[in-house]
Amino acid sequence: MHRYTWKKGAVPQLVIDLSQRDITLDSRIEADGAKAVKGFRRPKSWASDQMVCFYMEFSQEPQEIQVIQSDKGAKALVTFRQTSRNQVTVRCGISSVSEESAKENMNADASWLSKSPFAFDALKKASSRDWNGYLSKIEVEGGEREMRNFYTALYHTAIAPCLYSDSDGRYRGMDGKIHTADGFDRYTVFSLWDTFRSLHPLFDIIERHRTVDFIRTFLSIWDECGKLPVWELSGNETGCTIGYNSAPVIADAVAKGITG
C-alpha cells in the first residue's frame, strides 16, 4: 500500500513506468473500472523471462488515465482531482500467474482491512507489529551501536527468500507452466552460494517451518526441470554462480532434525 501527498495547489499525478530497470520483452497497462489499473511486465535480465502481473486500486477515482504503449515498455499518467488534502492511497498486488491473481493477492494479503481497505496507518501499525515479532526471535543486550547493528542484520535476513505462490497456491514454475503449491508456500530468490553458509543454517534454528517450505520449493523445482536450484529468481534458473548449494541446505536441515 502506498500513500502519496502533493503540495497544496499541485496537480496530483502518478507515473507508472514499465520501461525501467532492464530490457522489457512485453508489457501492458489498462484501466479496470473507474478506480483501478492492471497490467503486466515481462523483463529480461538476470532472469531471462520474468513475468510480473500487477493490479492497482486507487482510493479516489482518477480524473484521467493516459496510457502510452511502446516497445520499450508501457507507461501511464494517472491524474487525480485536487482536494483539500491532496492525498491518494494506492493498494497494489502482484502475481506471476495473472492480473486477476494479483487482484486476489491484493485483497487476501490484508483481508482484515476489508471494511476499510485503504487504512494505511492501520496497515503500517500491523506491519510494525509483525516486524517486531520477527526481530524478537533473538534477544540480545549491548550498547546502542551493537544493538542497532545486530537487529539491522537480523532484519536483512527477512528480505529474501520471498513468497512466490499466490493466495490460492498457484505460481509460474521453472518450466513456464502454472502449478499449485500443495501444502506448502512456494518461495523465490535463492542466492544459494551466498546463503548456504550462514543464512540457511540460521533459518534452521529460527525459521524451521519456512525451511520446510524452502526445501519443498527446491524439490518442486526438481520436478519441473530435473535439477535443484543453483541461483533461482522468479521461476528462472539464472545459473550465475558455481556450486550445487541446494544440497548442503537440505543436508543441514536434516542434520538439525527438520522433517516434512
Side-chain angles (χ1 to χ4, degrees):
M1 191 182 293
H2 307 176
R3 186 167 67 188
Y4 299 94
T5 305
W6 291 265
K7 293 181 179 180
K8 186 177 181 180
V11 178
Q13 292 181 315
L14 292 177
V15 175
I16 305 170
D17 188 351
L18 304 185
S19 68
Q20 297 297 313
R21 195 173 68 92
D22 49 21
I23 299 171
T24 303
L25 298 174
D26 196 8
S27 65
R28 181 180 69 234
I29 303 173
E30 62 179 85
D32 186 58
K35 294 177 63 177
V37 295
K38 63 181 181 179
F40 71 88
R41 183 173 189 264
R42 285 181 54 224
K44 177 183 180 180
S45 183
W46 203 337
S48 60
D49 190 358
Q50 180 180 1
M51 174 62 82
V52 183
C53 304
F54 69 90
Y55 192 91
M56 302 175 65
E57 185 178 24
F58 309 111
S59 58
Q60 64 172 275
E61 182 178 338
Q63 188 174 14
E64 184 180 20
I65 301 175
Q66 296 174 283
V67 177
I68 301 173
Q69 197 78 33
S70 72
D71 293 338
K72 293 183 179 180
K75 300 179 182 180
L77 177 64
V78 185
T79 304
F80 301 92
R81 291 176 177 82
Q82 294 186 42
T83 64
S84 57
R85 297 184 66 189
N86 241 18
Q87 189 174 85
V88 174
T89 304
V90 188
R91 302 171 65 215
C92 307
I94 62 172
S95 168
S96 66
V97 175
S98 69
E99 296 154 20
E100 291 71 25
S101 293
K103 181 179 181 180
E104 293 173 5
N105 291 340
M106 178 190 73
N107 290 322
D109 285 348
S111 58
W112 56 277
L113 286 176
S114 58
K115 293 183 179 180
S116 302
F118 294 98
F120 182 91
D121 291 326
L123 185 61
K124 181 182 177 182
K125 184 177 181 180
S127 297
S128 296
R129 185 173 60 246
D130 289 345
W131 272 112
N132 191 55
Y134 183 84
L135 297 177
S136 296
K137 287 176 177 287
I138 302 176
E139 294 186 12
V140 299
E141 295 179 357
E144 182 180 349
R145 180 180 180 183
E146 290 79 13
M147 296 279 280
R148 183 186 297 115
N149 287 345
F150 179 85
Y151 284 108
T152 299
L154 188 58
Y155 161 78
H156 286 155
T157 69
I159 294 176
C162 308
L163 183 62
Y164 187 56
S165 51
D166 290 339
S167 58
D168 62 2
R170 294 192 301 161
Y171 64 91
R172 191 175 300 270
M174 196 75 86
D175 54 4
K177 299 177 182 179
I178 305 302
H179 300 268
T180 299
D182 185 11
F184 71 103
D185 288 331
R186 169 78 174 230
Y187 279 81
T188 186
V189 190
F190 286 101
S191 175
L192 288 161
W193 86 320
D194 298 298
T195 58
F196 84 92
R197 298 173 181 86
S198 57
L199 180 61
H200 280 285
L202 175 65
F203 285 151
D204 291 345
I205 299 169
I206 67 171
E207 289 286 277
R208 292 171 73 87
H209 176 75
R210 282 207 304 152
T211 291
V212 175
D213 289 343
F214 297 157
I215 295 177
R216 292 192 67 177
T217 294
F218 295 171
L219 299 178
S220 66
I221 290 172
W222 172 280
D223 291 337
E224 293 157 15
C225 69
K227 185 174 72 173
L228 294 171
V230 175
W231 209 127
E232 183 275 347
L233 175 61
S234 298
N236 287 241
E237 177 53 75
T238 67
C240 62
T241 58
I242 60 172
Y244 199 40
N245 297 310
S246 295
V249 171
I250 296 171
D252 190 56
V254 172
K256 288 192 172 84
I258 294 178
T259 60

